[in-house]
Amino acid sequence: MSAAENPGRPIQQMPRGKHSSDVTFDEYLSHRLAALLRYATVVTCDPHLAEDVVQEVLARAQLRWQKISRLDMPEAYLKRMVLNEFLSWRRRRSAMHVPLAREPDAPDPAEAISSRDALLRQIAMLPPQQRAVLALGFYEGMTDAEIATFLDCSESTVRSHRSRALSTLRMVQEVGR
């Protein structure tokens, strides 16, 4: 299965005949920019903020690309940079900002789209760490141990964040019924 067929997963191979340390920054971006933006959108719940976060990360990564490209998993490193940038972005903003627009006055005829939009708004209201745990677990398919390593916390903290996030989402669902 290629990276294009499974956009949420890290690229398993660099372009043919190239090791990750041989890939230029431009070549890497031509293969993986879309996946990095999708990942950032899942984490931020806002495509515009995702673009800003990825732009900040790539500006810093380009300066250190020779070092980053020599790592075993440069994409994982970039995803961690995206997550860290998002979390620090959130800390820099003192006011709470819900990134998704409110549901329009006219009801959407497609129930599935309406339900998905409501769920995304509810997820967007979760604290950043809880949202990150959900994104890494459900979108990236990471285990608790992998998430704990990625977020530099314990597995019990990961489970706690997931439990609280899911409990909050369930409670909001029940109130909305």
Side-chain angles (χ1 to χ4, degrees):
M1 179 179 289
S2 74
E5 295 169 321
N6 193 355
R9 295 311 240 165
I11 191 166
Q12 299 300 317
Q13 298 176 341
M14 290 296 158
R16 279 184 196 244
K18 291 196 175 192
H19 184 268
S20 64
S21 62
D22 298 332
V23 175
T24 68
F25 184 73
D26 291 336
E27 289 173 327
Y28 183 83
L29 287 184
S30 70
H31 285 88
R32 298 304 296 162
L33 178 59
L36 199 58
L37 281 169
R38 282 190 298 273
Y39 170 73
T41 302
V42 167
V43 170
T44 64
C45 291
D46 179 355
H48 302 292
L49 177 58
E51 288 175 358
D52 291 342
V53 167
V54 169
Q55 182 177 357
E56 290 290 324
V57 165
L58 292 179
R60 287 196 321 272
Q62 184 177 21
L63 299 173
R64 296 183 280 168
W65 183 248
Q66 287 183 348
K67 178 183 174 188
I68 293 170
S69 68
R70 286 191 296 260
L71 297 172
D72 288 336
M73 298 183 69
E75 184 158 344
Y77 187 85
L78 289 175
K79 286 182 176 182
R80 178 59 191 238
M81 287 179 72
V82 166
L83 180 61
N84 288 343
E85 180 66 21
F86 166 66
L87 294 174
S88 69
W89 191 293
R90 293 289 299 198
R91 283 189 293 267
R92 286 191 299 258
R93 293 181 162 204
S94 59
M96 185 176 157
H97 172 71
V98 178
L100 296 176
R102 295 181 189 265
E103 192 169 306
D105 294 335
D108 191 344
E111 183 62 35
I113 293 172
S114 178
S115 296
R116 181 178 177 268
D117 185 49
L119 180 60
L120 287 175
R121 280 196 312 276
Q122 293 163 4
I123 291 171
M125 290 189 293
L126 293 172
Q129 292 285 29
Q130 291 179 12
R131 197 178 330 158
V133 167
L134 292 181
L136 293 171
F138 293 108
Y139 182 73
E140 288 293 312
M142 290 182 170
T143 64
D144 288 352
E146 292 169 331
I147 295 170
T149 301
F150 202 78
L151 295 177
D152 194 28
C153 65
S154 69
E155 287 184 52
S156 62
T157 300
V158 170
R159 288 189 298 272
S160 175
H161 283 313
R162 180 183 300 111
S163 176
R164 288 181 182 147
L166 294 176
S167 176
T168 299
L169 293 174
R170 278 187 212 105
M171 185 175 64
V172 171
Q173 288 286 326
E174 288 178 13
V175 169
R177 288 182 186 178

